[in-house]
Amino acid sequence: MAVSDQIVRWRYRLVPDHLLGEILTKRWVDNAIPVLILIVVAAVFGWLIPDFFSAAGISSLMRQWGEFTLIALALMIVMVAGGIDLSVGSTFALGNIVALTLITVAGWPVPAVIGATLACGALVGLVNGVLVGYLRLRAFLTTLVTLIIVRAIVDMMLLKYSVAIAAGFVDSDLWYYFGEGDVLGVPFSVATALVLALVAHLVLSRSRVGWHVLAVGGSRRSAHNVGIPVRRVICLTYVVSGTLAALSGVLFASRLGGAGADTGVGLEIAALTAAVLGGNSLGGGRGSAAKAIIGAIIVMIMVNGLVRIGVTRGGSSLLLGMVLLAAVAIDVRWLKNRHKFLSKVYVSPTYSELPEAPATSGSSPYALNDRLRPVEAIGLGQIDGPEDVILDEDDHIYVGNRTGDIVRFFAPDYTRQEVFVHVGGRPLGMAFAKDGALLVCIGGMGLYSIGRDRSIRKLTDETNRSWLSVIDDSRLRLADDLDIAPDGRVFFSEATVRYEMHEWPVDCLESRGNGRIICYDPNTGTTRTVIKNLLFPNGICMMHDGQSFLFAETWACRVSRYWFDGPKKGTVEVVIGDLPGYPDNINRASDGTYWLALVGVRTPSLDLALKMPGFRRRMARRIAPDEWLYPNINTGCVVRFDETGRIIETLWDFGGENHPMITSMREHKGHLYIGGILNNRVGRLKLDGMDPTWSGIDSYWRRT
């Protein structure tokens, strides 16, 4: 290897380029920037004001934060549903004046005061909800008008009751506890805000109501089309918003015991800044209570810090407005360009060097021929994409279909067919268990078992997660092929942990080693990963020793052997390391050898590009995906080899006229049955010199 190639290889091995794309796909990334802003803001004001985070300062700040957080939560709930509520500041002031009037002037008991005040806030929210949700008025203008009307009501109540409120005295420990008490050392307002934030989180993430709110915020038309009561959901969010704002006003009234004309003025701007700065989207469909909490902390630190360093109220409002403008700009740009940016950074090719491709001419064991030309077609035009093919003890053929069906062709002439079972996902590799159940790898779903009575049972759809992996590799994305050990353990390949079923060619562009082999043990019901970092592992076939299996790595163009039992347990040995094409499924032959499908042949251009990760990265960023350099998968081949890797025979469809793309083959009673994920038929080829009574089921389970 040249020095330059070695440098490139180590650069891409040591620098994990794919981590950036993986991190940006995580939902918690939306919280990362707000948390970073919080750290910066806290550090700046902690440095400017030496005693800013003293015990007394934090205690005073926390009580204000609890009340303010309720306002941020109120606005967050409306924003998640795709709306906005500019009346929260006025509703807060209304809650404050109503609570003080009822408890000092009217002399109502504390529970009645709280209930009536919350009802007033809910009424304001209901008015907003009816106007915006049911009458479909613009949320911005509607809540702006509500702000003005409610503020006018507050001013009228101040003119009438402010003197009486100032002269009154509340003789209730419970009332003062709301504003000055604590729960296990935590101010009551903070405890209330945290409890309600937890409730909001659980509702949004764990309940049907929460899912409806998120769906409405994501797309109201789509939510309506699936039967969600969009108008009622929108109305409900405004009612909750008004109630939370009024509750915050009650806590404020209990703490200060006074009302003024400036109470709640500008609070909606501060709350909106907190909600957006925390990462809640103005476009709806994206938000959480945690984001509202983070944003509320940032804004409270900024406001109190500016006051303590002597910035006037106008200057503080100016800074908040600038912060809000920046947050809105970031939110809009990020929401608009997130997927575009991800498409440029997610695909992260690495250095991959294949051994020199063997010749396919002359005396080479891979020499081209037309031995697949006599293949007869079964079910021509009646199936779509039979990736794998298998036969039962009655000689019936089973194949997967692109539409999510497993189709059965009846022996002996295979002219009659039926949908054996509908599995929903994309059926890939199949194998018969000892009890006659058909085990199937289903792309995007996992490993399933289909009983003789056609009952469908999920065996597993997840495995153990890697402790140090940024990728959530516990979920199975692309379970591909499988085989069953003598003790019943199922070993199956997952081709890639980064890409879904329809994106599998992109994994070749990366050639990073995103695949693995997994073991499902039916005796314990456990699933675990046994081999990682494989280049698109595909076919799996148990060897006759009962202690090892063969597996193919498609993008590495090699076949290896893994011992899962015996003296060499846990070791991997390369059996064929320089195939001329891309290996797929592997199955047993009647003479003790093995059949291997080559899904396509290697090309010098792609082999060269695999050693140029920079070139592939630029290609992924600058060229449309349908113009990327992909493997050649339109020339099919079947290879037979022994356990040492010696090639015994090769069967080509030269020119790709009969079976241009082969992903699997299965020997059964003197014939070879051929499948292909891009074909519309099952091929059958009569084999000369092979046992006409042999079947795979007999080979595995020794039936007589």
Side-chain angles (χ1 to χ4, degrees), residues 10 91 93 108 307 365 567 595 630 682:
W10 280 104
T91 307
W108 286 23
V307 170
W595 295 104
Y630 283 131
V682 172

Side-chain angles (χ1 to χ4, degrees), residues 212-551:
H212 285 181
V213 171
L214 291 169
V216 169
S219 173
R220 293 186 180 181
R221 181 179 296 275
S222 298
H224 172 75
N225 290 338
V226 298
I228 296 176
V230 174
R231 298 180 181 182
R232 187 171 65 194
V233 169
I234 294 173
C235 182
L236 178 63
T237 61
Y238 281 98
V239 172
V240 173
S241 175
T243 304
L244 289 176
L247 176 60
S248 179
V250 172
L251 297 175
F252 181 80
S254 175
R255 179 168 63 90
L256 296 182
D262 61 346
T263 301
V265 173
L267 187 59
E268 59 279 342
I269 301 301
L272 183 60
T273 303
V276 177
L277 197 58
N280 297 288
S281 175
L282 283 170
R286 181 168 59 90
S288 68
K291 293 178 171 65
I293 289 176
I294 295 172
I297 295 174
I298 295 173
V299 171
M300 287 305 300
I301 291 176
M302 290 178 59
V303 171
N304 282 267
L306 291 172
V307 170
R308 293 186 61 175
I309 63 178
V311 177
T312 62
R313 181 172 179 176
S316 177
S317 298
L318 175 62
L319 182 59
L320 276 182
M322 294 175 63
V323 170
L324 176 60
L325 180 63
V328 170
I330 293 173
D331 175 72
V332 171
R333 297 300 297 176
W334 171 246
L335 191 64
K336 181 178 180 180
N337 298 301
R338 179 177 186 176
H339 293 291
K340 184 185 297 184
F341 181 70
L342 273 175
S343 66
K344 294 183 178 297
V345 301
Y346 191 80
V347 180
S348 303
T350 190
Y351 184 91
S352 178
E353 183 176 14
L354 296 178
E356 183 177 354
T360 56
S361 60
S363 60
S364 169
Y366 301 108
L368 296 173
N369 55 61
D370 290 324
R371 293 187 59 188
L372 290 180
R373 189 64 55 83
V375 170
E376 60 179 298
I378 296 174
L380 181 63
Q382 302 175 30
I383 50 176
D384 184 9
E387 196 272 346
D388 196 11
V389 55
I390 193 168
L391 293 93
D392 64 14
E393 54 195 358
D394 296 321
D395 302 336
H396 302 319
I397 297 176
Y398 298 78
V399 294
N401 213 359
R402 193 180 304 276
T403 57
D405 300 324
I406 293 179
V407 179
R408 175 164 62 180
F409 288 89
F410 291 95
D413 55 5
Y414 303 118
T415 58
R416 187 167 61 94
Q417 62 163 296
E418 68 169 0
V419 175
F420 178 65
V421 70
H422 179 74
V423 296
R426 186 71 166 86
L428 298 173
M430 298 182 288
F432 277 110
K434 190 173 185 179
D435 62 358
L438 180 62
L439 273 55
V440 185
C441 284
I442 304 178
M445 294 175 59
L447 179 66
Y448 282 72
S449 172
I450 303 170
R452 291 177 179 268
D453 59 354
R454 309 192 190 195
S455 60
I456 302 175
R457 181 168 61 97
K458 181 182 72 175
L459 300 181
T460 182
D461 61 358
E462 61 182 3
T463 183
N464 57 301
R465 179 167 181 175
S466 304
W467 287 101
L468 301 179
S469 175
V470 175
I471 303 172
D472 182 5
D473 58 358
S474 60
R475 179 176 72 88
L476 301 181
R477 290 177 180 265
L478 188 51
D480 199 339
D481 193 30
L482 75 150
D483 212 347
I484 307 172
D487 61 1
R489 283 181 291 175
V490 182
F491 292 88
F492 62 97
S493 58
E494 184 180 24
T496 173
V497 298
R498 297 198 75 204
Y499 297 99
E500 304 294 342
M501 176 69 196
H502 61 285
E503 301 171 312
W504 62 268
V506 185
D507 192 81
C508 176
L509 192 67
E510 281 200 348
S511 293
R512 181 170 290 278
N514 299 320
R516 56 188 174 175
I517 292 177
I518 301 167
C519 174
Y520 167 74
D521 190 345
N523 302 311
T524 61
T526 58
T527 308
R528 63 182 180 87
T529 301
V530 295
I531 316 177
K532 298 193 295 185
N533 304 321
L534 300 178
L535 287 167
F536 209 83
N538 212 322
I540 290 184
C541 180
M542 285 292 152
M543 302 198 73
H544 296 282
D545 61 4
Q547 297 181 341
S548 62
F549 59 79
L550 296 167
F551 67 92

